[in-house]
Amino acid sequence: MAIYVASRRLSSGTALRAMRSYSTSSFREERDTFGPIQVPSDKLWGAQTQRSLQNFEIGGERERMPEPIVRAFGVLKKCAAKVNMEYGLDPTIGKAIMEAAQEVAEGKLSHHFPLVVWQTGSGTQSNMNANEVIANRAAEILGRKRGEKCVHPNDHVNRSQSSNDTFPTVMHIAAATEINSRLIPSLKTLHSTLHSKSFDFKDIVKIGRTHTQDATPLTLGQEFGGYATQVKYGLHRVTCTLPRLYQLAQGGTAVGTGLNTKKGFDVKIAAAVAEETNLPFVTAENKFEALAAHDACVETSGSLNTIATSLMKIANDIRFLGSGPRCGLGELVLPENEPGSSIMPGKVNPTQCEALTMVCAQVMGNHVAVTVGGSNGHFELNVFKPVIASALLHSIRLVADASASFEKNCVRGIEANRERISKLLHESLMLVTSLNPKIGYDNAAAVAKKAHKEGSTLKEAALKLGVLTAEEFDTLVVPEKMIGPSD
């Protein structure tokens, strides 16, 4: 094994532990401003990535920077090279960077991005991870060796850029891409299926419930129509956040002034990203806001928090309405997807509802992290960028996947238990509400209380109290006429 040269910032024990995590006996020397450091020969990253890998042993592989961020770096670095060639970057180097960055954007080099979320709050190490991987891969494309820096990670790949503007830019690229490609299609499908169910169930009159107690009737279609509208509004909410996500910080460099860029660079790179992604990205209206605050991400996370709130209500309603099969509400028959118990034979559980509600809890927790992170933009730079990005992207992916699973494996197959619905409807004491206009609230309450106390029907109680005739009761208490305003 090559002799390991430790950084002055690292203990030999830490360095060796990091090295042992890779199944290679071959290393090459890379250098940065701290001096030489050994890097596994089969890895494309360089010195700064290696230092970060050894400095931040937090959480293991599961805590790595999200894949959408890595791919977004590929998009951004490709576009930066394209624009920088207009401002004097050697075309030979620029084209090699573009080719290498495209491989990153396609996910072909994702195994060369080992860094975790828990690092510097600006995301500098992940920006350098991208710079180093792309520089070394571009060198290979040009027929040179890794580590030679014939393509320089800072001077070439990171030209006209700072981690302070690249990381917020990839945050927006990643989030907007995931919302458009995953979240919106999943929510649209869920909304469509719920809307179809509201139509299928439009003639099924059932008892309503408020405070978990019997209330006046409605149709099962009306109930599902409420769910469909919640999802429709959720779609609208998250879509309305996109214009702010489409604003890119790139061109602000270190503190928002654009130092070390040329005039027009910010506009051109935003246009290049828009062309590359087919999304309407533009340069940020104010680069100081774009670096120092992440209100757009907090806003987007807030819309996801609201969607999670809606989905929690919908999933809970559906599993409670499907409770049983003999001793619960039993108004809905839910799809039976798998055995539900390791000890109780024949038991089947509302697992899709349970999975969705757990996702909602996680999304709500993620929003707390995003909110705390967003509120900690001190002076010219927010330094909670990685956790904001990670939590936001986690929420987008979870809501998208859980919505798709819930629609496919639960909502699509829901059926109404018409017999059970009818039985509960006609047993409810709250049908007495339709008597209010005829006999008044107090008399109607007396009818309900007598029926409840004696275990009789409302009609029997009304006749015993002498407040109505049988014919009047039958005319007034018609559940099908209680599901909307009267003429």
Side-chain angles (χ1 to χ4, degrees), residues 244-319:
R244 267 76 65 198
L245 285 180
Y246 289 141
Q247 294 193 32
L248 300 183
Q250 201 62 52
T253 62
V255 297
T257 61
L259 178 67
N260 287 356
T261 65
K262 299 292 186 180
K263 289 182 178 179
F265 176 83
D266 56 348
V267 174
K268 287 186 176 182
I269 195 166
V273 172
E275 182 180 5
E276 189 71 22
T277 60
N278 291 315
L279 293 173
F281 289 108
V282 295
T283 192
E285 176 184 343
N286 187 295
K287 304 300 190 303
F288 303 100
E289 187 274 346
L291 270 62
H294 289 302
D295 294 350
C297 291
V298 178
E299 178 188 18
T300 304
S301 180
S303 72
L304 293 167
N305 188 62
T306 305
I307 292 169
T309 302
S310 299
L311 294 177
M312 179 77 84
K313 184 265 193 294
I314 294 167
N316 275 331
D317 275 12
I318 287 175
R319 67 169 163 178

Side-chain angles (χ1 to χ4, degrees), residues 129 142 251 312 324 374 433:
N129 189 175
L142 294 174
M312 179 77 84
T433 306

Side-chain angles (χ1 to χ4, degrees), residues 438-439 459 462-463 466-476:
K438 178 70 174 180
I439 64 175
K459 183 175 183 179
L463 294 178
V467 294
L468 287 170
T469 65
E471 291 76 14
E472 288 174 323
F473 184 93
D474 290 340
T475 300
L476 293 169

Side-chain angles (χ1 to χ4, degrees), residues 424-444:
L424 294 176
L425 171 67
H426 290 95
E427 288 178 353
S428 174
L429 298 176
M430 288 303 100
L431 298 179
V432 76
T433 306
S434 64
L435 301 180
N436 288 355
K438 178 70 174 180
I439 64 175
Y441 182 92
D442 291 343
N443 283 330

Side-chain angles (χ1 to χ4, degrees), residues 3-20:
I3 297 175
Y4 175 72
V5 181
S7 161
R8 63 181 179 180
R9 294 287 303 275
L10 298 173
S11 69
S12 59
T14 300
L16 289 173
R17 283 197 304 274
M19 286 302 178
R20 290 191 192 108

Side-chain angles (χ1 to χ4, degrees), residues 155-311:
D155 296 336
H156 297 140
V157 184
N158 200 59
R159 178 168 171 159
S160 303
Q161 302 156 63
S162 162
S163 299
N164 297 354
D165 62 357
T166 59
F167 202 89
T169 296
V170 299
M171 288 167 68
H172 282 212
I173 294 172
T177 300
E178 289 289 288
I179 287 170
N180 279 285
S181 65
R182 293 185 190 275
L183 181 62
I184 289 176
S186 292
L187 289 177
K188 282 184 175 180
T189 301
L190 178 58
H191 169 260
S192 177
T193 303
L194 286 168
H195 182 71
S196 294
K197 289 294 178 181
S198 72
F199 182 81
D200 294 343
F201 299 152
K202 64 183 176 66
D203 295 325
I204 302 175
V205 181
K206 55 161 286 178
I207 199 63
R209 295 179 181 88
T210 59
H211 306 270
T212 71
Q213 305 297 301
D214 298 356
T216 56
L218 75 165
T219 69
L220 188 58
Q222 288 171 327
E223 198 164 37
F224 269 74
Y227 306 152
T229 301
Q230 282 187 279
V231 176
K232 181 179 77 172
Y233 289 166
L235 261 167
H236 180 67
R237 288 185 181 99
V238 74
T239 301
C240 285
T241 70
L242 286 172
R244 267 76 65 198
L245 285 180
Y246 289 141
Q247 294 193 32
L248 300 183
Q250 201 62 52
T253 62
V255 297
T257 61
L259 178 67
N260 287 356
T261 65
K262 299 292 186 180
K263 289 182 178 179
F265 176 83
D266 56 348
V267 174
K268 287 186 176 182
I269 195 166
V273 172
E275 182 180 5
E276 189 71 22
T277 60
N278 291 315
L279 293 173
F281 289 108
V282 295
T283 192
E285 176 184 343
N286 187 295
K287 304 300 190 303
F288 303 100
E289 187 274 346
L291 270 62
H294 289 302
D295 294 350
C297 291
V298 178
E299 178 188 18
T300 304
S301 180
S303 72
L304 293 167
N305 188 62
T306 305
I307 292 169
T309 302
S310 299
L311 294 177

